[in-house]
Each structure stands twice: as structure tokens, then as C-alpha cells.
Amino acid sequence: IITITSPENIHPTKQKRVIFITARVHPGESPASYVCEGLMEFLLEDTPEAKALRDHIVFKFVPMLNPDGVALGNYRCSLMGFDLNRHWTDPSRWAHPTLE
């Protein structure tokens, strides 16, 4: 997980909004990698807009949620042949480890 925020937001007693961004749950959705990369680059820029977002929000990124499926060239499935979008609510540590 990649975290982008202001250093002041890391303090454990500080409560901030968190936005969790994932990409490539379906390996064939390669444009999502570019969108995720572009958003991370924008948030790291030295602009007033990016600084304001970092000051008020903690961004958590998982740029490739299904790396095994991507490496195998699958379109929708993981290494085990599962569509991970169908297992968000009840993932198995054995069959869907990236969701655990």
C-alpha cells in the first residue's frame, strides 16, 4: 500500500478522512494503471491544490490489486481463476489473498 498525505496526518491520534484507491482488480483493465499513476503524480506535485488535498485527506493506493492475474495475462481472473470483484465481502485467505 502506498500512502500519500501530509506528514502531520501520520500521527496516530490525528483523525483524517481516508480515500482508498485500487487499480487492476481485473488484469485487463490496463488503463487503470495509467489513471492511478497520474493521480499519484498529481498528489505529489508542488501545487496549492495538491497540498490542500494532502493536508486534509490520507490517500491509500494499491496500484495493482491482482498482480498474479496481470503476470499471467488473464483478463478478469486471479491466479486461482477467481473474479476478485465477486469476493469483496467474504474473501478467503487461501483463494483471494490480495483481498485479505
Side-chain angles (χ1 to χ4, degrees):
I1 295 178
I2 299 167
T3 302
I4 298 176
T5 192
S6 292
E8 298 81 33
N9 292 340
I10 303 298
H11 196 275
T13 61
K14 196 107 163 161
Q15 291 205 355
K16 289 288 182 179
R17 289 187 174 169
V18 176
I19 296 180
F20 195 80
I21 300 157
T22 64
R24 302 294 292 269
V25 67
H26 293 136
E29 296 168 348
S30 53
S33 290
Y34 297 107
V35 172
C36 194
E37 180 182 11
L39 181 55
M40 287 190 289
E41 287 176 358
F42 168 75
L43 290 170
L44 293 170
E45 288 178 356
D46 188 22
T47 64
E49 298 85 3
K51 183 177 180 339
L53 287 168
R54 291 191 309 265
D55 287 346
H56 292 90
I57 301 169
V58 177
F59 293 90
K60 301 276 187 179
F61 287 87
V62 179
M64 191 176 295
L65 192 63
N66 188 355
D68 295 335
V70 171
L72 289 173
N74 292 346
Y75 185 75
R76 288 189 68 85
C77 297
S78 66
L79 175 67
M80 301 284 291
F82 293 105
D83 182 346
L84 297 179
N85 266 352
R86 305 292 175 250
H87 300 281
W88 281 108
T89 57
D90 191 27
S92 158
R93 185 174 299 254
W94 175 80
H96 325 106
T98 57
L99 299 180
E100 275 282 310

